[in-house]
Amino acid sequence: MSLEIWTVSGAPSPWRAALGMAFKGLDYDVHLLSAARKEHKSDAYLAINPRGTVPTVKDGDATLSQSVAILAWLDREYPDTPLFGDTPLNAALIWQRTMEIFDHLSGATSSVLSPIFFQGADEATDDLRNASEKLQSELAHLTGILVETPFLSGERPGAADAVAFPHVRLIQRAMETKPTIMQALGLPDLATLSTEIADWVQRIEAFPNVAATFPPHWAEAA
């Protein structure tokens, strides 16, 4: 097996790349790095990725980083089950949605979850309420797409779904593990916020190999 990925448990960016490989039905080896031990900044890893970021994907002589670039490369290297559609118009629409999600959902999610997960925030401050409103607006944008189509990329999951799913699933994780603060921020559970998003999550999770992309530490904490 030549396809490899270096990742950190729970990090959205490598999760996107892993989902792209799962959607395509590809097998790959996982190198799990410990952020707590700063293994992504070790000399051994910096020799592979000088920026010390995740993901890194290797396939033979090819070494790539940056999750969306990896998704684009996967479509060229492994063209079956395309992540960016079958026609020029589909490709443009999926690219548009992918980059909108990359530009807006990622930051909106981080503004809410980073204080909760990493700073121990347990009160609904004004800053967190404002961040929650922006996040709910981005989730409403996803709902508007999913009212019309089963996946953000169309009739099957693709790049837009791979970029969005880690953020949505991390939001759901916070709803499950930090219910008091999330409810105070108007984020009680996915089904209450959007049945379309909740159903989309279930459709994504039903795909073969998607379960293997989940953060390993979630299983350890169960």
Side-chain angles (χ1 to χ4, degrees), residues 13-206:
S13 292
W15 198 349
R16 297 168 187 157
L19 283 166
M21 291 186 278
F23 293 160
K24 285 182 169 288
L26 300 173
D27 294 324
Y28 55 93
D29 281 328
V30 176
H31 302 278
L32 184 63
L33 303 175
S34 169
R37 294 195 293 271
K38 298 188 182 300
E39 290 178 348
H40 59 303
K41 300 299 182 182
S42 67
D43 290 343
Y45 185 65
L46 291 175
I48 299 169
N49 181 338
R51 290 195 180 274
T53 58
V54 289
T56 297
V57 166
K58 283 180 64 69
D59 188 19
D61 294 333
T63 302
L64 301 122
S65 60
Q66 301 298 326
S67 60
V68 177
I70 289 168
L71 295 175
W73 168 79
L74 284 169
D75 251 12
R76 294 297 187 95
E77 188 69 21
Y78 301 95
D80 290 345
T81 316
L83 301 173
F84 288 94
D86 300 306
T87 70
L89 182 58
N90 285 343
L93 181 60
I94 293 170
W95 267 110
Q96 175 180 306
R97 289 177 179 172
T98 297
M99 297 315 298
E100 284 179 348
I101 293 164
F102 183 87
D103 287 340
H104 300 290
L105 179 63
S106 175
T109 303
S110 179
S111 293
V112 173
L113 298 191
S114 289
I116 293 172
F117 279 143
F118 303 120
Q119 299 167 25
D122 57 7
E123 294 185 3
T125 64
D126 288 343
D127 285 346
L128 269 176
R129 290 186 188 278
N130 290 335
S132 176
E133 289 180 5
K134 292 179 181 178
L135 176 56
Q136 290 178 61
S137 176
E138 292 305 319
L139 294 174
H141 177 72
L142 298 188
T143 297
I145 298 171
L146 293 169
V147 167
E148 303 293 336
T149 186
F151 298 99
L152 298 172
S153 302
E155 294 301 314
R156 63 171 181 259
D161 303 272
V163 172
F165 182 82
H167 298 290
V168 173
R169 198 57 184 79
L170 285 166
I171 294 165
Q172 187 177 29
R173 179 71 172 179
M175 292 169 170
E176 295 165 351
T177 61
K178 308 289 184 180
T180 302
I181 180 64
M182 293 297 281
Q183 289 173 13
L185 293 172
L187 296 163
D189 58 77
L190 284 184
T192 299
L193 285 178
S194 169
T195 56
E196 289 81 7
I197 292 178
D199 290 346
W200 167 76
V201 166
Q202 291 184 352
R203 287 193 290 272
I204 294 289
E205 292 184 357

